Amino acid sequence: MSSERYSFSLTTFSPSGKLVQIEYALAAVAAGAPSVGIKATNGVVIATENKFKSILADEHSIHKVEKVTNHIGMIYSGMGPDYRVLVKRARRAAQQYQLMYGTEIPTGQLVQRLAAVMQEYTQSGGVRPFGVSLLVCGWDHGRPRLFQCDPSGAYFAWKATAMGKNFINGRTFLEKRYGDTMELDDAVHTAVLTLKESFEGQMNENNIEIGIVNESGFRRLSPAEVKDYLANIV
Amino acid sequence: MAKNCNFLVIFQCKHQSIVLQLAQYTLRKSPVPDCNRCSCFVRNAALESSGMALPKAVKTGTTICGIVFKDGVILGADTRATDGSTVASLNCQKIHYLAPNMYCCGAGTAADTEQTTKLISSNLELHSLNTGRQAPLSTALKMLAQMLFKYQGHISAALVLGGVDRLGPHIYSVHPHGSVDRLPYVTMGSGSLAAMAVFESRYRPNMELEEGKKLVRDAIAAGIFNDLGSGTNVDLCVITKDGAQMLRPYDVANVKGARQERYRFKRGTTAVLKTRLRKFDVQEEEVVSMDTSEASGSA
């Protein structure tokens, strides 16, 4: 984890009391692809833009929406490779919890473990903070959950939120649109609309990814299902 | 400076009692032995040399088996757990979940089979999530066999692994030392001979579902009724390409008898010799709570 040359942390305080590396990491997140998460009464939806720079790119072979356990999924805004590392850690943490306590990991516990990992990288030798903010959604025995993890290691529980490019506009949009009694279908619809706000170009089933979690567990929506939702707005 | 230590390594063969062997074991230079078992063997050797008889290894109870039939595999197991000659559990579950398309029957030490299958099941789920696909049976088999080999037979788990993957239905048997066999039908445990006798006389390839279930049930029943280490019910697990179906219990072969009479003692069985009545003065106390929350006096 820590490089052999550096036994001191590269994330150090500035005179004003800020950890500049974390600020920069948050800037990397804010420059990343937009992502959205909305909690409904009967589930949670997470969605993100998955644009490719070239028409030659093989869509649907690399995914942003990843399943962590049967009842938890996550997405990100920021640096993809950093995200992969955290997905692996999350999956491992969930299995270890299952083996130790004989029950599936509550979403909050997983988020705490992930956040602890992210914090480690702000206070260890020779490493840099993760350049991602995560949105973790889960279904804990009948209760929907949505959490955000920041590069600093801070985590927040949300009813609805947006991250990445234009996240302020996204959050304002959600503040107006969100309702406590929203159901999952409406939530997916709203999530797609929120993404559309900051989308450049034509949105189709090949350049966005949606994941939902409800009582049947977490799953990524197939392109055909995404197409159905898109057809309802355009 | 390497430390040499003599160990008593106990090998347990499937159908024989303990075979003892002395092995020369070299410890790396460290004040604490490498593995916990090393110190146990030192102690055992010391006890034995002082004249104490080593305890006999308990024979593994259980009859487990598996067959390949036309549409998939059928796994079967009895439900008796023994602790020496005592029945520890009448209805324990010996068919363990590994993955949605794989189940594993376990004979041997109950804790060993349970923990081994749980660990491999967890690793399989991790593998499946990271690769984005259903793991084939050979993956689970390798994981199980390599773990058992690593522990050189000290994990007493004899397993029958069965399932259906993209390559078709498979049945494997795994021995405690880590050897594997792929066969159309396998049996393990102390009742394995009884069960195998049934298979050898009646197994045919490409059987229908009901015929296969009956065959497995009869094989386990042979173990239940002829082997003391196996008993009570027959559990089945049918796995096809459409999924797995646990039938627990498939056949309640041994119903516990109901009590014929009431065995309670009649009133008056114990003679009352003396009766003495004592009167107690009970004082009722009433607790009235005072409201001390409001600030008194001037603000």
Side-chain angles (χ1 to χ4, degrees):
Chain A
M1 184 179 62
S2 53
S3 160
E4 271 159 30
R5 283 222 194 123
Y6 294 93
S7 59
F8 53 89
S9 174
L10 302 174
T11 309
T12 48
F13 281 108
S14 74
S16 59
K18 282 197 245 176
L19 286 165
V20 194
Q21 280 300 301
I22 294 179
E23 304 283 321
Y24 294 162
L26 285 163
V29 170
S35 58
V36 155
I38 304 178
K39 202 159 71 160
T41 54
N42 58 342
V44 189
V45 57
I46 47 175
T48 184
E49 199 184 272
N50 197 7
K51 264 199 235 173
F52 296 96
K53 296 206 173 66
S54 160
I55 52 166
L56 292 173
D58 189 359
E59 299 144 354
H60 305 304
S61 56
I62 305 284
H63 296 288
K64 282 196 178 181
V65 172
E66 291 282 16
K67 180 161 97 156
V68 175
T69 68
N70 286 333
H71 68 295
I72 299 179
M74 57 198 260
I75 49 159
Y76 74 105
S77 279
M79 297 168 65
D82 286 7
Y83 173 65
R84 276 201 312 264
V85 170
L86 288 168
V87 168
K88 276 208 150 181
R89 290 284 190 106
R91 286 173 173 158
R92 209 151 191 274
Q95 290 301 319
Q96 282 174 343
Y97 188 96
Q98 167 81 43
L99 277 178
M100 183 171 287
Y101 299 108
T103 177
E104 48 185 32
I105 189 169
T107 315
Q109 286 293 304
L110 177 71
V111 166
Q112 278 185 19
R113 279 158 174 74
L114 265 178
V117 169
M118 293 171 93
Q119 191 279 340
E120 234 176 273
Y121 280 66
T122 66
Q123 219 180 4
S124 299
V127 296
R128 60 161 176 81
F130 286 97
V132 288
S133 270
L134 305 169
L135 265 182
V136 182
C137 70
W139 183 261
D140 285 349
H141 297 292
R143 275 169 222 224
R145 299 267 186 255
L146 180 65
F147 291 92
Q148 175 182 344
C149 286
D150 267 355
S152 60
Y155 57 94
F156 320 94
W158 289 100
K159 292 182 195 168
T161 187
M163 307 188 310
K165 236 181 267 192
N166 282 330
F167 74 96
I168 302 175
N169 291 345
R171 286 212 188 138
T172 322
F173 185 85
L174 283 169
E175 271 168 32
K176 291 192 214 124
R177 283 274 186 151
Y178 182 78
D180 276 326
T181 52
M182 216 185 229
E183 294 226 332
L184 191 56
D185 263 345
D186 294 327
V188 178
H189 188 79
T190 311
V192 173
L193 283 173
T194 316
L195 277 181
K196 200 160 192 289
E197 291 282 305
S198 44
F199 205 93
E200 289 156 34
Q202 180 71 348
M203 203 157 78
N204 60 45
E205 71 273 16
N206 296 322
N207 49 30
I208 63 165
E209 274 191 31
I210 306 179
I212 55 161
V213 72
N214 55 20
E215 58 184 4
S216 350
F218 178 85
R219 66 186 183 86
R220 194 188 304 123
L221 294 186
S222 68
E225 287 169 306
V226 175
K227 200 169 177 187
D228 284 338
Y229 279 108
L230 284 171
N232 285 337
I233 9 165
V234 177
Chain B
M1 194 165 39
K3 222 163 98 174
N4 279 341
C5 230
N6 280 338
F7 289 97
L8 251 148
V9 182
I10 303 176
F11 291 106
Q12 182 176 352
C13 290
K14 207 164 62 142
H15 302 299
Q16 297 171 14
S17 52
I18 315 167
V19 172
L20 295 170
Q21 266 189 41
L22 268 173
Q24 199 75 357
Y25 217 90
T26 309
L27 290 175
R28 283 201 301 256
K29 172 190 160 192
S30 65
V32 177
D34 275 355
C35 64
N36 294 332
R37 290 185 187 83
C38 299
S39 57
C40 286
F41 286 128
V42 171
R43 178 207 65 194
N44 285 351
L47 283 173
E48 225 235 341
S49 63
S50 73
M52 201 181 228
L54 271 182
K56 266 181 98 71
V58 177
K59 262 192 120 166
T60 65
T62 307
T63 311
I64 51 171
C65 64
I67 62 164
V68 177
F69 75 107
K70 193 177 90 177
D71 305 319
V73 300
I74 305 176
L75 299 171
D78 75 299
T79 59
R80 176 182 284 185
T82 50
D83 180 10
S85 55
T86 315
V87 174
S89 172
L90 284 170
N91 203 5
C92 74
Q93 186 167 4
K94 299 188 189 179
I95 306 183
H96 307 284
Y97 169 88
L98 276 185
N101 63 325
M102 304 182 214
Y103 275 75
C104 185
C105 307
T109 307
D112 287 349
T113 59
E114 183 71 36
Q115 293 300 334
T116 304
T117 49
K118 270 218 181 102
L119 183 66
I120 266 71
S121 172
S122 181
N123 285 339
L124 271 174
E125 196 178 323
L126 210 52
H127 186 266
S128 173
L129 280 169
N130 287 334
T131 55
R133 58 195 65 170
Q134 189 192 67
L137 247 89
S138 50
T139 307
L141 180 71
K142 267 283 189 235
M143 288 171 154
L144 287 166
Q146 281 170 356
M147 178 177 166
L148 293 175
F149 180 77
K150 187 169 74 176
Y151 285 95
Q152 287 293 295
H154 292 295
I155 292 186
S156 177
L159 310 166
V160 169
L161 169 68
V164 181
D165 58 27
R166 66 175 192 271
L167 303 160
H170 304 85
I171 287 279
Y172 296 96
S173 70
V174 187
H175 294 250
H177 282 266
S179 61
V180 302
D181 290 297
R182 185 180 163 196
L183 293 161
Y185 54 95
V186 294
T187 64
M188 298 287 264
S190 61
S192 64
L193 262 60
M196 188 51 95
V198 176
F199 277 166
E200 287 290 10
S201 89
R202 283 162 52 188
Y203 178 84
R204 290 178 301 103
N206 290 320
M207 280 190 288
E208 293 295 328
L209 174 64
E210 286 310 314
E211 201 186 342
K213 277 157 74 170
K214 182 151 184 9
L215 178 64
V216 173
R217 182 256 158 219
D218 287 345
I220 301 293
I224 286 174
F225 293 114
N226 297 298
D227 174 43
L228 291 177
S230 314
T232 328
N233 304 331
V234 180
D235 286 349
L236 281 196
C237 184
V238 181
I239 311 176
T240 59
K241 61 172 170 55
D242 302 320
Q245 189 193 17
M246 261 298 276
L247 300 162
R248 179 178 150 78
Y250 175 69
D251 180 20
V252 182
N254 294 287
V255 181
K256 200 171 180 187
R259 289 208 176 93
Q260 302 281 351
E261 301 175 20
R262 297 193 73 208
Y263 293 95
R264 309 192 74 184
F265 289 105
K266 286 201 277 277
R267 257 185 195 278
T269 307
T270 307
V272 176
L273 298 176
K274 215 170 19 174
T275 316
R276 186 172 68 164
L277 214 62
R278 276 173 67 181
K279 205 158 188 283
F280 287 103
D281 225 349
V282 179
Q283 283 183 337
E284 289 277 339
E285 251 182 28
E286 197 188 315
V287 179
V288 178
S289 64
M290 237 171 68
D291 189 14
T292 52
S293 58
E294 278 164 19
S296 58
S298 51

